[in-house]
């Protein structure tokens, strides 16, 4: 049996309740403070001067016109920019910093992509800064560039993929593929994607003297506040107590605010120079180059199976892009390590260098792209074997994870497929393509599994118990899609047995105990682990306080528990409030820290199954979603309402990934041409059908300190494959490239 990672907890029914998300009203009424909106006296505005070539060198900067424009205070160029200490970016330092790219804004003369910040204008209004930035003239020595990943040699191997080697071989995958009775060998091309959260990035930096020393306060749209603070401490050579980073709300991020992009550093530089607060608000357009994106990819998936449908060989390979200067490695082969049983497995990734901004995390990297290729290939194989796609997957259900040889914890993939199929009416699907019509529409159903690893980041939280019966959580974590405050208050309420209305939380400020990165669907899990630890520490403390009472005299921590706000021992109980009063304390606080374990005895992932029904108009190549359903297994669901919203949001993003989202470069100029929401298409209400979300609740304390695994990202994984598989069922046509736009449908797949 697998060793248990954490002692299981039992919750009262507060955990799981579909409580309203706190702060929802402030968000919809426009009073919620987003990073660009803080009122700061004497605020100045900066605007970067963007490169307009993809590769070369700036040989001269003429700012004479810009300098004389009204409202302009200063122009930063490589000549006068304040120097910062070089630190290693996140990708090179294993998150030792949150720095995305090693390029320092306004300090470089070398140009690596269109939209790089070569200089900056500081002015007394946004408009003045913007107008003057456009009047700064850059002269270049132009070099030949390459922005097309399919024209750039992919002959380089990333050093590692999320800490694992970029190649992995088990058995004889090529030999086994050749010998297999049934084979599929497919190629997939996936377009680049940009994140497009409602809130674009923004930073207000306020560098001033305080007690004779510099003090830097930064309001920054960020998924990694604590790490950002430490990064600024290093770059600007300050002490931690001299830097405060604040981000009370994140208006969507999906990975693009996971690391610190150059505008944040530029804002600090500008503020340091001016000794005044400076704001940089990034426009939608500037996000296409100023910040990262999901890399375009080429993937190959080959599967060999015997005639009974047992997989004998699985090969997943391909390449992604990185920038000329830095490395981001998208580990798209990772899901093939753990989805299906096979004795022969080969994973092999390379990368190419292109002259564009560094790629970055975008919702469920790398499972979103990896599961597309793998699960379309699985559908093709099922079709060749004349097996139902669910039956084929059941025949390849592994007993242990192929690459790690560990037993799974809380896998439940088969149950997700079976329960989802039942609810969706999968039995009504005709396995032969082109057999269902609705008027002019060809109708088809498709499915694909979903998966995401259970991840955590080091996180600390302080829990305070007060003598008025309330409790409070402090952590420098993030209020993003998760509903962090709502869910953590629910958790603490349940751990102490006090009403959830008596629990409050403060987050989003680096003066609080350090939170982890809110990426990798890790926030609830990691922060919950820290809250649990803090509660344990408080309990030891309270047991000590209680030991003056005869009934509690020689009790050990394990002999008592919290129920209804009371410390309950075998023979008596006493309320937390009475204990604090008796000890003449207004409050009692403890900090708990969560550290993710490195050597879990189990393979820890979440699973799910997606089912979709599409209608296809063959004449126009239009694909319409008709129904979507998903069934997930992510351990304990902490809040049924916020969880459902998370799952649905990711599924909708999956529709965008499948059918619409595509960053387009004009490779001749090396520029992104659809850098706006008019031309970069994301789903709107009318694109989205009825969505059903269901889940299996099986607390997973092997994987998680609170029994619940991340839910933010799994909902997008597998969606594009399910849609491609449904298009095949509707039309008999396979689409292997993303997004599956009308033009790609009409052209047919190049490899079909
Ligand atoms: Mo997510 S792509 O880890 O913000």
């Amino acid at each position: 049996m697998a060793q248990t990672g954490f002692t299981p907890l039992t919750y009262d029914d507060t955990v799981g309740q579909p409580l309203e998300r706190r702060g929802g009203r402030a968000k919809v009424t426009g009073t919620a403070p987003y990073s660009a909106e803080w009122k700061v006296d004497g605020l100045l505005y900066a605007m970067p001067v963007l490169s307009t070539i993809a590769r070369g060198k700036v040989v001269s900067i003429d700012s004479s016109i810009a300098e004389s424009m009204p409202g302009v205070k200063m122009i930063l160029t490589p000549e006068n920019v304040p120097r910062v200490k070089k630190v290693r970016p996140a990708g090179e330092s294993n998150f030792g910093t949150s720095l995305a790219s090693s390029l320092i804004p306004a300090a470089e003369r070398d140009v690596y992509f269109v939209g790089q910040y070569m200089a900056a204008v500081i002015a007394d209004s946004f408009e003045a800064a913007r107008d003057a930035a456009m009047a700064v003239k850059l002269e270049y020595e132009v070099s030949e560039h390459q922005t097309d990943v399919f024209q750039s040699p992919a002959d380089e191997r990333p050093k590692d993929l999320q800490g694992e080697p970029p190649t992995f071989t088990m058995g004889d995958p090529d030999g086994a593929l050749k010998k297999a009775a049934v084979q599929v060998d497919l190629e997939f091309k996936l377009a680049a994607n940009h994140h497009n959260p409602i809130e674009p990035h923004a930073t207000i930096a306020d560098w001033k003297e305080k007690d004779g020393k510099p003090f830097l306060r930064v309001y920054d749209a960020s998924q990694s506040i604590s790490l950002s603070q430490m990064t600024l401490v290093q770059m600007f050579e300050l002490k931690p107590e001299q830097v405060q980073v604040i981000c009370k709300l994140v208006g969507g991020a999906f990975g693009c605010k996971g690391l610190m992009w150059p505008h944040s550093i530029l804002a600090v530089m500008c503020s340091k120079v001016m000794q005044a607060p400076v704001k940089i608000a990034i426009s939608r357009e500037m996000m296409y180059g100023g910040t990262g994106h999901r890399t375009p990819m080429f993937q190959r998936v080959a599967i060999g199976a015997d005639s009974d449908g047992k997989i004998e060989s699985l090969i997943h390979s391909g390449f992604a892009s990185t920038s000329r200067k830095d490395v981001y490695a998208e580990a798209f082969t990772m899901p093939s390590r753990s989805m299906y049983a096979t004795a022969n497995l080969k994973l092999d990734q390379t990368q190419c260098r292109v002259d564009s901004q560094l790629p970055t995390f975008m919702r469920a990297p790398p499972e979103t792209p990896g599961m597309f290729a793998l699960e379309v290939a699985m559908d093709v194989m099922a079709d060749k074997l004349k097996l139902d796609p669910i039956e084929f997957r059941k025949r390849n259900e592994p007993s242990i994870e192929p690459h790690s040889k560990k037993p799974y914890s809380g896998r439940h993939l088969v149950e997700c497929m079976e329960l989802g199929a039942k609810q969706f009416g999968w039995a009504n699907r005709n396995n032969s393509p082109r057999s269902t019509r609705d008027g002019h529409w060809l109708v088809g159903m498709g499915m694909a599994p979903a998966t995401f690893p259970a991840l955590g980041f080091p996180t600390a939280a302080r829990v305070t118990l007060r003598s008025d019966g309330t409790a409070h959580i402090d952590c420098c974590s993030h209020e993003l899609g998760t509903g962090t405050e709502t869910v953590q208050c629910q958790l603490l309420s349940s751990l102490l047995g006090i009403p959830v209305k008596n629990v409050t939380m403060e987050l989003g400020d680096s003066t609080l105990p350090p939170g982890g990165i809110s990426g990798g669907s890790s926030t609830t899990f990691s922060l919950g682990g820290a809250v649990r630890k803090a509660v344990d520490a408080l309990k030891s403390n309270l047991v000590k306080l209680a030991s003056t009472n005869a009934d509690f005299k020689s009790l050990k921590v394990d002999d008592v528990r919290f129920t209804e706000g009371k410390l309950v021992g075998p023979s008596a109980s006493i309320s937390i409030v009475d204990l604090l009063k008796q000890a003449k304390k207004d409050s009692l606080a403890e900090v708990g820290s969560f550290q993710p374990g490195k050597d879990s005895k189990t393979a820890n992932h979440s699973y799910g199954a997606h089912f979709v029904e599409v209608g296809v108009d063959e004449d126009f190549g239009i694909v319409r979603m008709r129904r979507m359903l998903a069934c997930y297994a992510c351990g304990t669901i902490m809040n049924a309402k916020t969880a459902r919203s998370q799952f649905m949001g990711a599924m909708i993003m999956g529709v965008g990934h499948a059918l619409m989202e595509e960053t387009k470069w004009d490779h001749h100029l090396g520029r992104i041409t659809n850098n706006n929401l008019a031309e970069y298409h994301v789903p709107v209400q009318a694109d989205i059908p009825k969505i059903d979300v269901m889940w299996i609740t099986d607390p997973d304390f092997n994987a998680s300190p609170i029994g619940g695994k991340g839910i933010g990202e799994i909902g997008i994984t597998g969606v594009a494959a399910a849609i491609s598989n449904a298009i095949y069922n509707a039309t008999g046509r396979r689409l292997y490239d993303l997004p599956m736009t009308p033009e790609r449908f009409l052209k047919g797949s190049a490899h079909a």
Side-chain angles (χ1 to χ4, degrees):
M1 257 325 272
Q3 182 177 310
T4 300
F6 301 91
T7 314
L9 294 168
T10 43
Y11 296 119
D12 64 17
D13 58 10
T14 316
V15 162
Q17 282 293 313
L19 299 183
E20 288 288 325
R21 181 175 169 154
R22 295 187 184 187
R25 190 180 171 79
K27 278 191 157 190
V28 298
T29 53
T31 55
Y34 287 92
S35 293
E37 298 174 325
W38 289 88
K39 300 275 176 277
V40 182
D41 285 342
L43 189 61
L44 298 175
Y45 300 79
M47 180 60 76
V49 177
L50 310 182
S51 65
T52 53
I53 64 162
R55 193 177 189 183
K57 210 174 175 58
V58 172
V59 290
S60 76
I61 300 178
D62 178 359
S63 54
S64 54
I65 296 174
E67 270 160 28
S68 64
M69 289 171 70
V72 172
K73 299 280 184 195
M74 189 173 180
I75 297 178
L76 281 189
T77 69
E79 300 291 321
N80 63 358
V81 69
R83 290 174 53 82
V84 296
K85 191 163 167 209
K86 289 235 179 225
V87 302
R88 296 203 307 158
E92 267 178 45
S93 64
N94 193 23
F95 296 106
T97 72
S98 64
L99 191 67
S101 151
S102 64
L103 292 176
I104 304 299
E108 318 276 340
R109 290 190 176 270
D110 292 328
V111 180
Y112 292 92
F113 56 90
V114 172
Q116 189 182 330
Y117 303 161
M118 309 312 299
V121 174
I122 307 165
D124 60 10
S125 73
F126 170 77
E127 291 77 8
R130 181 195 57 193
D131 293 356
M134 288 197 280
V136 175
K137 298 238 175 333
L138 305 180
E139 244 184 82
Y140 303 100
E141 199 178 279
V142 180
S143 306
E144 238 179 87
H145 67 262
Q146 184 55 268
T147 47
D148 186 349
V149 294
F150 297 106
Q151 301 298 325
S152 187
D155 51 2
E156 196 183 321
R157 255 180 236 291
K159 270 202 230 75
D160 69 291
L161 301 173
Q162 301 187 351
E164 307 262 0
T167 59
F168 177 84
T169 308
M170 195 174 81
D172 174 20
D174 291 304
L177 178 66
K178 225 174 270 160
K179 273 186 258 156
V182 190
Q183 297 145 354
V184 300
D185 195 342
L186 300 165
E187 294 182 347
F188 303 84
K189 285 181 184 171
L190 288 77
N193 300 148
H194 270 79
H195 306 72
N196 286 295
I198 293 176
E199 178 206 28
H201 296 71
T203 309
I204 298 172
D206 191 0
W207 183 299
K208 52 166 69 105
E209 289 292 311
K210 195 173 142 187
D211 310 325
K213 277 195 220 141
F215 181 79
L216 172 63
R217 178 175 293 142
V218 178
Y219 301 93
D220 202 13
S222 171
Q223 292 169 261
S224 55
I225 306 168
S226 296
L227 196 54
S228 292
Q229 181 219 15
M230 291 317 295
T231 307
L232 293 172
V233 162
Q234 293 174 57
M235 293 186 83
F236 291 89
E237 299 176 270
L238 298 166
K239 299 238 154 55
E241 58 274 18
Q242 291 174 286
V243 180
Q244 180 183 19
V245 180
I246 295 171
C247 177
K248 287 291 173 184
L249 280 173
V250 184
F254 315 115
C256 72
K257 294 164 186 162
L259 300 180
M260 191 190 279
W261 294 95
H263 64 273
S264 303
I265 297 149
L266 184 59
V268 176
M269 287 171 156
C270 293
S271 179
K272 183 180 181 185
V273 167
M274 300 307 296
Q275 294 283 305
V278 176
K279 168 151 89 178
I280 299 183
I282 297 300
S283 66
R284 180 71 52 191
E285 188 178 331
M286 283 161 66
M287 286 183 68
Y288 290 74
T291 57
H293 57 276
R294 196 198 298 277
T295 164
M297 267 160 271
F298 170 83
Q299 299 185 52
R300 172 192 175 213
V301 176
I303 305 174
D306 69 14
S307 49
D308 290 334
K310 289 282 291 173
I311 294 175
E312 293 178 328
S313 176
L314 173 59
I315 298 173
H316 194 165
S317 61
F319 63 85
S321 74
T322 189
S323 73
R324 196 70 67 189
K325 182 102 165 128
D326 295 302
V327 172
Y328 169 80
E330 177 88 343
F332 56 82
T333 53
M334 295 290 267
S336 292
R337 288 168 186 269
S338 60
M339 282 306 291
Y340 301 108
T342 180
N344 302 290
L345 174 66
K346 181 163 84 177
L347 311 174
D348 185 3
Q349 280 196 229
T350 59
Q351 65 192 11
C352 62
R353 300 266 175 178
V354 289
D355 300 294
S356 59
Q357 175 61 288
L358 187 66
T360 194
F361 330 108
M362 182 165 167
R363 208 166 199 176
E367 283 73 18
T368 300
M371 287 290 279
F372 170 66
L374 174 63
E375 298 300 343
V376 170
M378 287 293 287
D379 201 75
V380 174
M381 180 55 104
D383 196 56
K384 274 199 164 182
L385 290 161
K386 305 219 172 338
L387 284 177
D388 178 88
I390 295 175
E391 175 58 26
F392 173 48
R393 287 172 173 89
K394 279 159 76 172
R395 290 189 188 184
N396 292 287
E397 179 65 9
S399 54
I400 53 165
E401 188 175 45
H403 86 101
S404 70
K405 310 276 191 272
K406 289 178 183 179
Y408 292 93
S409 181
R411 178 162 158 114
H412 299 303
L413 173 57
V414 170
E415 292 103 301
C416 287
M417 292 192 292
E418 286 177 343
L419 281 171
K422 190 155 177 246
Q423 185 71 18
F424 192 70
W426 183 253
N428 301 326
R429 171 181 179 267
N430 193 323
N431 224 345
S432 327
R434 303 187 70 83
S435 47
T436 311
R437 273 190 184 273
D438 179 1
H440 190 66
W441 297 91
L442 281 164
V443 177
M445 291 187 206
M447 67 80 58
T451 188
F452 198 77
L455 299 175
F457 284 113
T459 300
R462 180 171 53 239
V463 173
T464 306
L465 305 175
R466 303 198 192 94
S467 60
D468 64 0
T470 64
H472 181 78
I473 307 166
D474 286 305
C475 174
C476 181
S477 188
H478 312 87
E479 189 55 81
L480 61 174
T482 323
T484 305
E485 182 188 344
T486 314
V487 170
Q488 296 300 324
C489 288
Q490 253 173 296
L491 173 66
L492 183 58
S493 152
S494 188
L495 292 177
L496 297 172
I498 65 174
V500 70
K501 67 173 176 17
N502 290 352
V503 186
T504 52
M505 177 168 188
E506 190 180 350
L507 41 59
D509 186 326
S510 65
T511 56
L512 303 170
I517 299 176
S518 282
S521 304
S522 67
T523 302
T524 302
F525 175 109
S526 314
L527 177 46
V531 167
R532 179 181 179 174
K533 279 279 192 63
V535 169
D536 286 346
L538 285 164
K539 196 164 104 179
S540 315
N541 248 317
L542 290 171
V543 166
K544 261 184 233 141
L545 291 182
S547 63
T548 55
N549 300 36
D551 287 331
F552 286 87
K553 195 155 178 57
S554 52
L555 289 184
K556 297 210 172 51
V557 175
D558 290 342
D559 300 332
V560 297
R561 62 200 155 83
F562 287 117
T563 305
E564 294 177 355
K566 295 190 199 88
L567 199 60
V568 181
S571 59
S573 69
I574 182 165
S575 80
I576 298 170
V577 169
D578 289 344
L579 263 176
L580 292 179
K581 284 186 179 152
Q582 187 187 302
K584 302 205 181 344
K585 285 179 184 293
D586 290 335
S587 65
L588 187 65
E590 284 289 348
V591 175
S593 292
F594 172 77
Q595 284 288 342
K598 285 206 174 52
D599 37 20
S600 172
K601 297 277 190 295
T602 48
N604 302 327
H605 308 266
S606 291
Y607 292 92
H610 286 125
F611 294 85
V612 305
E613 183 181 287
V614 301
V616 183
D617 180 322
E618 282 198 297
D619 296 335
F620 293 98
I622 295 166
V623 177
R624 297 289 299 168
M625 302 302 299
R626 292 163 63 101
R627 286 191 297 139
M628 297 179 83
L629 178 142
C631 180
Y632 300 103
C634 304
T636 307
I637 293 295
M638 307 303 288
N639 177 318
K641 185 169 192 163
T642 55
R644 186 170 178 275
S645 297
Q646 285 274 67
F647 289 133
M648 275 179 62
M651 290 167 77
I652 291 168
M653 206 163 170
V655 173
H657 181 240
L659 299 177
M660 297 164 208
E661 295 195 44
E662 176 171 19
T663 305
K664 294 185 178 177
W665 274 264
D666 174 335
H667 295 305
H668 178 64
L669 293 169
R671 304 173 83 129
I672 294 169
T673 57
N674 59 343
N675 52 3
N676 55 70
L677 282 174
E679 290 160 288
Y680 183 98
H681 293 166
V682 297
V684 296
Q685 289 288 357
D687 294 312
I688 299 303
K690 178 176 180 311
I691 295 180
D692 277 330
V693 179
M694 52 200 280
W695 53 74
I696 294 164
T697 309
D698 178 23
D700 187 350
F701 287 95
N702 293 318
S704 163
I706 55 168
K709 296 177 277 192
I711 60 171
E713 291 168 276
I714 188 170
I716 186 175
T717 70
V719 171
I723 293 173
S724 178
N725 299 342
I727 292 172
Y728 173 73
N729 184 241
T731 67
R733 183 94 66 87
R734 286 281 179 193
L735 295 184
Y736 300 109
D737 297 344
L738 292 181
M740 297 177 279
T741 51
E743 44 289 28
R744 284 197 177 87
F745 182 87
L746 292 174
K747 223 167 36 185
S749 181
H751 341 284

